[in-house]
Amino acid sequence: MKKARILVTGGTGYIGSHTAVELINAGYPVVIIDNLSNSNRDVLDGIEAITGVRPPFVEGDCTDFDTLKKLFADYPDIKGIINFAASKAVGESVKKPLLYYRNNLNTLINLLDLMAPNGVRGIVFSSSCTVYGEPDQNPVTEATPRKNATSPYGNTKKISEDIICDTVAAGAPFKAILLRYFNPVGAHPSALIGELPNGVPQNLIPYLTQTAMGVRPMLSVFGNDYPTPDGTCIRDFINVVDLAKAHVVAVERLVEDKCLEPVEVFNLGTGRGVSVLELINTFEEATGVKVPHQFAPRREGDITQVWADPTRANTVLGWNADTPLADTMVSAWRWQQRLREKGIM
Ligand code: WQD
């Protein structure tokens, strides 16, 4: 039986492109919309090279209602949405809060407004462990209380979750799944797609691989005086392909009406906390490449430690993040090497 078409907003981005690959591999027709503000069109070449399918692509801004309305008219077989389209740099959000609130919230509200009139059965929302703030204890479960966000970026994730819950509670004829990511890292094993942030990377792994490649002279480790075993922050680094596969399971659950509640929440992590220094050591051992690094002052807004209890996703979704961290580090390095071969970086 023909599978429902899935709309992937932000689908030329890092997690969006990896998810588009897994959706296509699972037999779902996909349509991607992206404004290319933090990605580029040739990601579609990578998706096609991996899957043999070039998904329909609409260059457009999801904050524009009429653009989205036309997309649903052009693709009336869309039955599920995975919403990645959002600005996501924690530091930038502190400097430009209105850009983040306007982009991230208007995008979501437009999508929710268009779902019922177009017969869309469900939406998967790209949320984040940032909604937990600095948890009182780790690992965190979905029942761990959310805390005040430490950045406008994190606040848009919290508010978005509330907007979805309120809309569904008001009787909207669709369901939703909130996926709270921990720290997505790595690249597709083919090295044909990966993380390619514009400008100076904010996140750890792209900065680390660019330093290992010599694009950057030195990786600064922000703080080694935290109350952790080695003094550096602890995170739950999850392989991006494992993360993408969880989205396929989630959207299938929605379009096939398997959800047990109108809104379901899942932590997507490995369940293992890894420190920044441990990550650097894992990279160096797995690739044989040294990463010049130095300790630097703490970064404003960073939390000390957070890692997931992924039991609910493991048992209810039947999904596990089981790629070894060393393999993930190798995938990140192979992607960086591909960027160098292509003369990009
Ligand atoms: C991880 C650790 C840094 C860079 C955020 C969002 C999350 C998600 C991922 C978007 C921290 C340290 C980093 C560097 C460093 N959002 N670090 N030197 O802040 O945990 O999570 O990005 O995808 O929702 O909250 O990720 O990779 O920026 O930092 O020492 O050059 O690495 O201090 O301890 P973060 P990150």
Side-chain angles (χ1 to χ4, degrees):
M1 188 176 83
K2 191 172 182 309
K3 292 196 171 182
R5 187 179 298 279
I6 308 301
L7 167 61
V8 182
T9 72
T12 54
Y14 173 41
I15 304 169
S17 56
H18 286 81
T19 300
V21 162
E22 298 308 322
L23 283 167
I24 293 166
N25 287 344
Y28 283 97
V30 160
V31 55
I32 291 174
I33 183 168
D34 200 301
N35 64 4
L36 302 178
S37 63
N38 195 23
S39 61
N40 45 54
R41 190 182 291 268
D42 64 14
V43 168
L44 298 168
D45 300 335
I47 294 171
E48 183 177 13
I50 295 167
T51 65
V53 172
R54 190 178 189 86
F57 173 69
V58 174
E59 182 177 353
D61 196 321
C62 294
T63 61
D64 180 80
F65 184 82
D66 290 336
T67 298
L68 276 180
K69 187 176 178 183
K70 181 178 183 312
L71 184 145
F72 281 104
D74 293 344
Y75 295 92
D77 55 346
I78 292 171
K79 293 300 171 211
I81 299 171
I82 304 180
N83 181 34
F84 294 106
S87 303
K88 65 162 200 166
V90 173
E92 182 188 49
S93 77
V94 175
K95 300 186 184 80
K96 302 177 182 174
L98 283 181
L99 183 150
Y100 275 69
Y101 288 114
R102 180 179 297 111
N103 185 39
N104 297 4
L105 301 185
N106 286 359
T107 288
L108 176 67
I109 291 165
N110 284 343
L111 288 168
L112 293 174
D113 248 341
L114 285 161
M115 286 178 71
N118 291 286
V120 180
R121 298 190 197 126
I123 182 168
V124 176
F125 175 67
S126 165
S127 191
S128 167
C129 62
T130 199
V131 303
Y132 297 116
E134 180 82 67
D136 295 333
Q137 65 178 43
N138 283 292
V140 294
T141 70
E142 291 80 1
T144 298
R146 298 184 310 167
K147 286 195 175 177
N148 289 338
T150 55
S151 70
Y153 158 79
N155 210 21
T156 68
K157 293 301 182 184
K158 251 185 93 183
I159 296 169
S160 293
E161 291 191 351
D162 294 343
I163 290 171
I164 291 168
C165 290
D166 290 348
T167 304
V168 172
F174 53 77
K175 295 182 178 177
I177 293 181
L178 313 179
L179 298 180
R180 291 175 180 165
Y181 309 161
F182 283 69
N183 286 60
V185 289
H188 192 269
S190 66
L192 290 168
I193 56 174
E195 187 172 12
L196 185 52
N198 288 342
V200 178
Q202 300 300 306
N203 288 132
L204 177 60
I205 286 302
Y207 205 106
L208 184 153
T209 58
Q210 287 181 21
T211 305
M213 183 54 81
V215 176
R216 315 262 169 215
M218 181 70 69
L219 168 67
S220 294
V221 175
F222 298 139
N224 68 326
D225 60 348
Y226 284 96
T228 60
D230 65 18
T232 65
C233 293
I234 294 173
R235 295 289 185 273
D236 184 330
F237 296 101
I238 175 173
N239 178 282
V240 66
V241 175
D242 290 341
L243 184 67
K245 288 175 177 173
H247 290 74
V248 179
V249 177
V251 81
E252 185 168 88
R253 196 171 167 79
L254 287 163
V255 297
E256 294 183 8
D257 201 16
K258 295 178 182 169
C259 291
L260 302 177
E261 304 157 281
V263 180
E264 294 185 332
V265 186
F266 297 98
N267 283 344
L268 297 186
T270 67
R272 290 180 298 280
V274 173
S275 78
V276 174
L277 271 185
E278 286 170 335
L279 193 79
I280 294 169
N281 294 336
T282 303
F283 178 91
E284 293 183 334
E285 283 163 25
T287 62
V289 177
K290 284 292 178 200
V291 182
H293 59 279
Q294 65 187 3
F295 293 124
R298 295 183 178 190
R299 180 174 68 176
E300 188 74 26
D302 273 339
I303 63 165
T304 303
Q305 51 193 336
V306 63
W307 67 90
D309 175 343
T311 306
R312 190 163 140 74
N314 301 155
T315 52
V316 175
L317 298 181
W319 167 88
N320 286 282
D322 45 21
T323 303
L325 189 58
D327 295 358
T328 301
M329 292 299 98
V330 169
S331 74
W333 179 236
R334 291 185 62 215
W335 167 245
Q336 186 64 60
Q337 290 176 309
R338 173 67 61 106
L339 293 175
R340 174 56 55 95
E341 287 159 18
K342 292 165 74 172
I344 294 172
M345 196 168 286

